[in-house]
Amino acid sequence: MIFDKNTAKKTAELLLQINAIKLQPQEPFTWASGWKSPIYCDNRITLSYPEIRKTLAKNLATFIEQTYGKPDVIAGVATGAIGIGLLVAEVLNLPFIYVRPEAKKHGRKNQIEGIVPSNKSVVVVEDLISTGKSSLNAVKALREDKADVKGMVAIFNYGFDIAVENFEQEALALHTLSNYENLLEQVLDTAYITKEQHKTLQDWRTNPAEWNI
């Protein structure tokens, strides 16, 4: 679910401006999963643009406070959301932690870096949601450490059905600044792409696992 329509379209525009989102309907990308895709999103690029990263962090922080009150801790999902998560924690003046995909093999063998007080409220920050698997893996680690995970917020969400199902199974609320649906509206409204390219992007969203041009 997006925060609101205006924020969703404005966020999409900002991500397009700095090439954090790239659209190549005729020269698709290949994801790590092997999927062919006309879109590639790398929100870590936003960290190189001070005004944009401030805007994103402020919007995420405002939503968190309005929705959950002020949690005890902000958690970022490594590695993509460490930067934006820390910025959100700074806006809210809250402790920050981050969660690795798995525990380290050496040293203290931590999966969670930072201190998580038992039974304290945590909101998780992500940069991008695709299937939600890695994001929910972080939530599982936090819950196993007795954190009270209130919800998750992210910059962008592809809106895949599998992600919706995964979050429902874990009974976790997900809200994002923008998503694929509003991205498509924005690129059509601003003539960023042609109507033919727009249709290609819509077709991909219908069945991304088997799509190819």
Side-chain angles (χ1 to χ4, degrees), residues 52-66:
I52 290 177
R53 75 189 187 208
K54 286 177 187 176
T55 297
L56 298 177
K58 182 180 178 181
N59 288 342
L60 289 167
T62 298
F63 178 81
I64 289 171
E65 198 160 17
Q66 289 176 347

Side-chain angles (χ1 to χ4, degrees), residues 179-193:
N179 61 10
Y180 194 73
E181 177 184 350
N182 282 278
L183 169 69
L184 291 191
E185 287 187 22
Q186 183 64 20
V187 294
L188 193 58
D189 289 349
T190 57
Y192 187 90
I193 58 173

Side-chain angles (χ1 to χ4, degrees), residues 64-73 89 91-94 121 123:
I64 289 171
E65 198 160 17
Q66 289 176 347
T67 305
Y68 302 107
K70 209 165 186 180
D72 297 303
V73 180
V91 172
L92 294 171
N93 193 31
L94 290 174
S121 60
V123 173

Side-chain angles (χ1 to χ4, degrees), residues 8-25 38-43 45-46 49 52 56 155-156 178-180 182-193 201:
K9 296 188 73 172
K10 179 60 178 176
T11 300
E13 181 62 25
L14 291 175
L15 298 178
L16 287 164
Q17 284 176 8
I18 60 174
N19 285 324
I21 288 180
K22 288 187 176 182
L23 300 176
Q24 295 182 188
I39 177 174
Y40 193 84
C41 183
D42 182 1
N43 290 325
I45 291 174
T46 63
Y49 296 83
I52 290 177
L56 298 177
I155 297 173
F156 189 81
S178 192
N179 61 10
Y180 194 73
N182 282 278
L183 169 69
L184 291 191
E185 287 187 22
Q186 183 64 20
V187 294
L188 193 58
D189 289 349
T190 57
Y192 187 90
I193 58 173
L201 289 162

Side-chain angles (χ1 to χ4, degrees), residues 83-173:
I84 190 65
L86 179 57
L87 289 169
V88 170
E90 186 69 15
V91 172
L92 294 171
N93 193 31
L94 290 174
F96 176 72
I97 60 178
Y98 69 86
V99 189
R100 299 175 182 274
E102 59 183 17
K104 292 192 296 184
K105 305 298 184 184
H106 57 279
R108 293 186 297 167
K109 300 182 179 180
N110 292 342
Q111 183 172 4
I112 300 173
E113 297 292 355
I115 299 172
V116 187
S118 295
N119 303 313
K120 297 296 184 179
S121 60
V122 177
V123 173
V124 182
V125 176
E126 257 288 24
D127 65 324
L128 175 67
I129 304 294
S130 53
T131 65
K133 183 177 179 181
S134 59
S135 308
L136 291 170
N137 182 56
V139 171
K140 179 181 178 182
L142 289 164
R143 286 174 169 169
E144 288 177 349
D145 215 14
K146 297 183 171 57
D148 179 15
V149 180
K150 295 298 186 182
M152 183 179 294
V153 296
I155 297 173
F156 189 81
N157 179 11
Y158 287 113
F160 295 144
D161 291 341
I162 185 64
V164 174
E165 293 170 8
N166 286 339
F167 276 88
E168 286 179 349
Q169 286 177 4
E170 295 300 322
L172 187 74

